[in-house]
Amino acid sequence: MVSIFRIFPILALLALAGCFSPSADFPRGEAAYAVMPAADPAATRSSYRIGVLDTLSIRVFQEPELTFDQLQVDAGGSINFPLIGEVEAAGQTPIELSRNLERGLGKRFIRNPQVVVGVVQSAAQRVIVEGSVTEPGVYEIAGSSSLLESIARAKGVTRVAVLDEVIVLRTVNGQPMGAVFDLQAIREGKAPDPEILGGDRIVVGFDLLKGAYRDLLQAAPLFNVFRAL
């Protein structure tokens, strides 16, 4: 016979598992915002930041040999430009890259170079939203987004989500970084809404104990603890 008392050890183990936090080593609170700050309200959200494998157009005034209708950013985030060599492009706005190219060309005997950079095709402005959300997946963003907006794209969190365990993962200068945010505090206006960039990965925590109880209730015909098997 199987009684309710045989279920207790299982629930106890699940309770212990529910205490495990994969985000234990990531910064929280103010330290999290130091790593991944909120969007600057004074800045324009439409400032597109170039991503890996984006296709650019680069025009240098009165220099046809230095003008390209299409030039792709490589997997390392750089472009190889004549007279200058390798130039970091990923993470910069088109205007910022234009200014960097002008400075580089100015050192190569081109007087007062005028450079215009455009984005022909975007390849990297996507974020991954996974974990305890209604519709996990890959979502496109226009330049940048916010954590609340990104969660909304995934149709919100599930009933077993841990709202103070929302992890944002990002690669900065080739180095993986992570930070933990409190989604409930952000919703209530008690904490800033961090900026989300193309290439970010968002993981919403899952309460194992809540999930276990939910699964037990859904599987009641199979795990009926009030009757002998």
Side-chain angles (χ1 to χ4, degrees), residues 129-139 147-159 161 183 187 204:
V129 186
E130 56 186 351
S132 197
V133 292
T134 303
E135 294 186 7
V138 180
Y139 296 92
L147 184 57
L148 286 179
E149 291 173 354
S150 299
I151 297 295
R153 286 185 170 91
K155 301 298 188 291
V157 299
T158 67
R159 296 177 65 181
L183 188 64
R187 284 175 170 176
V204 179

Side-chain angles (χ1 to χ4, degrees), residues 118-173:
V119 179
V120 177
Q121 184 175 9
S122 171
Q125 299 305 305
R126 299 180 178 90
V127 296
I128 299 173
V129 186
E130 56 186 351
S132 197
V133 292
T134 303
E135 294 186 7
V138 180
Y139 296 92
E140 293 188 3
I141 61 174
S144 68
S145 182
S146 74
L147 184 57
L148 286 179
E149 291 173 354
S150 299
I151 297 295
R153 286 185 170 91
K155 301 298 188 291
V157 299
T158 67
R159 296 177 65 181
V160 296
V162 181
L163 297 184
D164 61 353
E165 286 279 336
V166 179
I167 308 168
V168 179
L169 302 171
R170 180 177 299 169
T171 300
V172 180
N173 296 326

